């Protein structure tokens, strides 16, 4: 009895502490801010989350947009090597939220982990300008070079900066800006699809601004200091998180985890292999072998949740090939554009500005799709529209890659001309870069159709308690697609002798 009384007292203290925390005003604000109504408070939190999300994406796209040009011109990489580095960085940035989310649940406190990740993100974006800065151009009394980084030292700092930045990105996306921050639990299919459409619309609008502005600055105005812009964006995100840190550390509602899901699959496979059978009279699904009733070690709820996830694995598997196609925009298509004629009315276009052509279809299609969805979701049969979007988008992505192949054959028939990029003279094809527009447009159409629909299905077709796990699996397969694209580049280079 004394032990029970002590536990009751602890629970009461915890509830009182939580109530006080909910009534406490935001750090750095007056008591008036703490007396905001519930809708106003939710709107304020959503705006802060969206601001941090946009700042983080701005930083990410700022690093990616001209990485290939930086690697080839500054670090002396060959084209295929620069493409592989770029895709591996994108893939790592996609996978780190899953890793950080697991660490936050199992090993490290969420607030402590956010601080660590913000420091890593800050460090990575601070080191990138160090690599890009033209040390060889600084002189003392016009005679002595102040400092020179060797190529090896530059590459070491560069890879370390990319690694720390990607780890920091994972912390922001997993803890500060997860989907649970937007309170989607009570939304229906129509509202969910509308949210994902406009969410990715805003992200792509942000990337369009990056590809036009930062790419031009890095290529033409301050080619070595362009990485300072992502650094400033990270500072803005850090200030926002610090100002409202009490409302921006989100803990997802879940009683499952990635380890539990993998454990259920491993236990079922182990039982199947031991018994040399996959089906039995009392087992309707091979995952049922992991249940306690059939000799496993997992509960009915955990196994049923894993079974609902397993039904989505074909959708996730197609994401590997789809993501390999989409990653051609900052890699293969970027190289095609870099080796094409960028002159337009006496002005040299930034290479990454061509990416805007792939974003324009998405910015146009989202409002149109919203009108279509309003009509479709008003009828009874609403479950097939996301599937139709995914199929059409996958076909559009495949067609884009095929068109890119024919464009590459077409490009090599043009005579070569000299073109200056980042103060380096390169021999490129005289074919105008706008001949590559169709392949960009097709990938933009694919992105507008596939990504919101896949997010909707991954979020909607599983029980509420494992929605976060489902989105983690979607992220894992997207990251695998990035590394698969890098593997394709390496295989193609090796198979064709360069």
């Amino acid at each position: 009895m004394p032990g029970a009384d002590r536990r009751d007292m602890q629970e009461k203290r915890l509830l009182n502490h939580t109530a006080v925390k909910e009534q406490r005003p935001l750090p750095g604000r007056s008591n008036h801010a703490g007396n905001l109504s519930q809708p106003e408070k939710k709107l304020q939190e959503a705006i802060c989350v969206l601001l941090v999300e946009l700042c983080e994406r701005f930083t990410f796209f700022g690093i990616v947009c001209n990485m290939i040009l930086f690697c080839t011109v500054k670090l002396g990489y060959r084209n295929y090597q620069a493409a592989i580095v770029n895709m591996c960085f994108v893939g790592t940035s996609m996978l780190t939220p899953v890793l950080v989310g697991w660490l936050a649940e199992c090993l490290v406190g969420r607030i402590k982990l956010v601080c660590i990740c913000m420091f890593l993100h800050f460090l990575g974006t601070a080191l990138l300008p160090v690599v890009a800065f033209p040390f060889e151009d600084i002189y003392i009394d016009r005679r002595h070079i102040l400092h020179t980084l060797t190529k090896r030292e530059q590459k070491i700092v560069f890879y370390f900066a990319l690694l720390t930045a990607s780890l920091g990105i994972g912390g922001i996306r997993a803890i500060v800006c997860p989907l649970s921050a937007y309170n989607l639990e009570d939304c229906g299919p129509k509202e969910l699809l509308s949210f994902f459409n406009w969410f990715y619309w805003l992200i792509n609008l942000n990337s369009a601004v990056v590809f036009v502005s930062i790419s031009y600055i890095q290529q033409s105005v301050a080619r070595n200091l362009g990485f300072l812009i992502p650094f400033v964006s990270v500072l803005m995100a850090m200030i926002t998180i610090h100002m409202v840190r009490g409302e921006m550390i989100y803990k997802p509602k879940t009683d499952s985890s990635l380890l539990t899901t993998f454990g259920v699959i491993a236990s079922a496979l182990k039982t199947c292999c031991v018994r040399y059978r996959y089906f039995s009279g009392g087992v309707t699904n091979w995952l049922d072998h992991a249940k306690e009733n059939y000799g496993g070690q997992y509960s009915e709820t955990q196994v049923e949740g894993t079974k609902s996830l397993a039904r989505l694995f074909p959708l996730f598997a197609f994401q590997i090939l789809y993501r390999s196609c989409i990653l051609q925009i900052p890699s293969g298509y970027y190289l095609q554009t870099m080796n094409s004629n960028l002159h337009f009315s006496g002005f040299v276009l930034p290479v990454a500005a061509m990416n805007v052509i792939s974003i324009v279809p998405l910015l146009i299609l989202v409002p149109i799709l919203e009108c279509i969805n309003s009509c479709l979701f008003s009828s009874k049969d609403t479950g097939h529209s996301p599937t139709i979007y995914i199929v059409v988008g996958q076909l559009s992505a495949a067609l884009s890659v095929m068109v890119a192949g024919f464009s590459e054959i077409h490009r090599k028939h043009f005579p070569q001309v000299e073109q200056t990029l980042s103060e380096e003279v390169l021999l490129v094809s005289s074919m105008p870069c706008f001949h590559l527009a169709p392949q960009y447009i097709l990938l933009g159409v694919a992105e507008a159709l596939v990504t919101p629909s896949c997010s909707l299905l991954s979020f909607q077709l599983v029980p509420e308690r494992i929605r976060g796990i489902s989105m983690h699996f979607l992220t894992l397969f997207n990251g695998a697609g990035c590394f698969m694209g890098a593997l394709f580049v390496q295989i193609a280079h090796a198979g064709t002798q360069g």
Side-chain angles (χ1 to χ4, degrees), residues 401-416:
V401 177
M402 185 175 68
V403 171
F406 288 115
S407 299
E408 183 66 9
I409 297 173
H410 176 65
R411 184 182 67 82
K412 292 183 177 179
H413 286 97
F414 284 78
Q416 289 188 327

Side-chain angles (χ1 to χ4, degrees), residues 228-272:
L228 280 176
I229 300 176
F231 174 68
V232 174
S233 180
V234 167
L235 284 180
M236 290 181 59
M238 292 180 66
I239 292 171
T240 305
I241 293 175
H242 175 72
M243 290 174 62
V244 287
R245 59 187 179 276
E247 284 74 21
M248 296 188 69
I249 308 299
Y250 292 93
K251 182 177 177 60
K253 299 176 182 178
T254 177
D255 58 356
S256 183
S257 66
L258 278 176
L259 289 181
T260 302
T261 304
F262 286 126
V264 170
I265 296 174
S267 177
L269 290 174
K270 179 181 177 181
T271 306
C272 289

Side-chain angles (χ1 to χ4, degrees), residues 264-339:
V264 170
I265 296 174
S267 177
L269 290 174
K270 179 181 177 181
T271 306
C272 289
C273 293
V274 168
R275 296 181 181 181
Y276 294 97
R277 63 183 183 182
Y278 292 87
F279 301 96
S280 64
V283 178
T284 58
N285 189 292
W286 66 276
L287 286 171
D288 288 333
H289 287 292
K291 293 182 179 179
E292 294 173 343
N293 298 337
Y294 297 100
Q297 53 182 344
Y298 292 93
S299 65
E300 179 91 11
T301 304
Q302 291 171 330
V303 175
E304 290 300 321
T306 305
K307 286 166 67 174
S308 64
L309 275 177
R311 289 194 290 268
L312 293 177
F313 279 0
L315 172 68
F316 296 155
F318 274 106
Q319 285 298 104
I320 295 179
L321 292 176
Y322 170 74
R323 193 54 54 183
S324 299
C325 295
I326 292 297
L327 260 290
Q328 295 304 311
I329 293 179
S331 57
Y333 292 5
Y334 188 99
L335 289 172
Q336 280 184 294
T337 306
M338 191 175 74
N339 288 278

Side-chain angles (χ1 to χ4, degrees), residues 130-192:
V130 173
V131 182
F133 196 77
F135 292 102
E136 67 274 11
D137 297 336
I138 299 181
Y139 295 88
I140 299 177
D141 298 331
R142 297 183 180 180
R143 291 174 298 181
H144 302 292
I145 297 177
L146 179 65
H147 183 64
T148 301
L149 285 177
T150 64
K151 290 292 183 183
R152 183 174 178 274
E153 292 172 339
Q154 282 183 328
K155 291 176 182 178
I156 291 174
V157 176
F158 180 64
Y159 285 127
F160 181 76
L162 292 182
L163 179 61
T164 53
S166 63
L167 289 173
I169 287 171
I172 295 175
R173 293 183 184 177
I175 302 176
V176 179
C177 301
L179 285 178
S180 60
Y182 295 96
N183 297 318
L184 304 178
E185 289 80 7
D186 300 327
C187 296
K190 180 181 177 180
E191 290 79 9
L192 281 175

Side-chain angles (χ1 to χ4, degrees), residues 373-486:
N373 293 336
S374 300
C375 299
L376 288 176
F377 278 110
S378 62
S379 62
K380 294 182 179 179
D381 187 15
T382 60
H384 296 295
S385 55
T387 307
I388 294 173
Y389 290 161
I390 292 173
V391 172
V392 175
Q394 297 273 8
L395 292 175
S396 178
L399 182 61
S400 171
V401 177
M402 185 175 68
V403 171
F406 288 115
S407 299
E408 183 66 9
I409 297 173
H410 176 65
R411 184 182 67 82
K412 292 183 177 179
H413 286 97
F414 284 78
Q416 289 188 327
V417 296
E418 290 186 349
Q419 184 167 258
T420 303
L421 293 176
S422 293
E423 300 182 8
E424 295 287 338
V425 179
L426 306 175
L427 286 176
V428 301
S429 171
S430 58
M431 184 191 80
C433 61
F434 292 108
H435 287 198
L436 304 174
Q439 63 199 52
Y440 280 97
I441 293 174
L442 286 170
L443 271 191
V445 171
E447 187 71 352
L449 296 174
V450 174
T451 301
S453 300
C454 281
S455 298
L456 170 66
L457 294 180
S458 303
F459 194 83
Q460 182 189 6
L461 298 182
V462 296
E464 181 179 344
R465 66 181 182 277
I466 60 168
R467 283 177 172 173
I469 307 302
S470 178
M471 299 304 292
H472 279 169
F473 268 96
L474 180 62
T475 303
L476 284 174
F477 279 86
N478 283 334
C482 299
F483 289 103
M484 183 66 71

Side-chain angles (χ1 to χ4, degrees), residues 76-123:
Y77 283 0
R78 299 178 65 182
N79 286 339
Y80 82 96
Q81 293 173 323
I84 290 175
V85 170
N86 200 17
M87 285 189 281
C88 287
F89 171 73
V90 175
T92 304
S93 300
M94 286 186 175
L95 294 180
T96 49
V98 180
L99 172 64
V100 173
W102 172 75
L103 289 175
E105 294 298 327
C106 301
L107 299 179
V108 187
R110 302 180 76 83
I111 297 179
K112 184 185 298 185
L113 197 57
V114 166
C115 296
I116 294 173
C117 290
M118 287 304 301
F119 171 75
L120 291 175
H121 205 8
F122 175 84
L123 179 63

Side-chain angles (χ1 to χ4, degrees), residues 1-14:
M1 289 298 295
D5 294 339
R6 190 160 44 250
R7 283 194 298 271
D8 292 340
M9 289 296 296
Q10 290 175 351
E11 290 177 359
K12 289 180 181 179
R13 289 175 183 173
L14 179 62

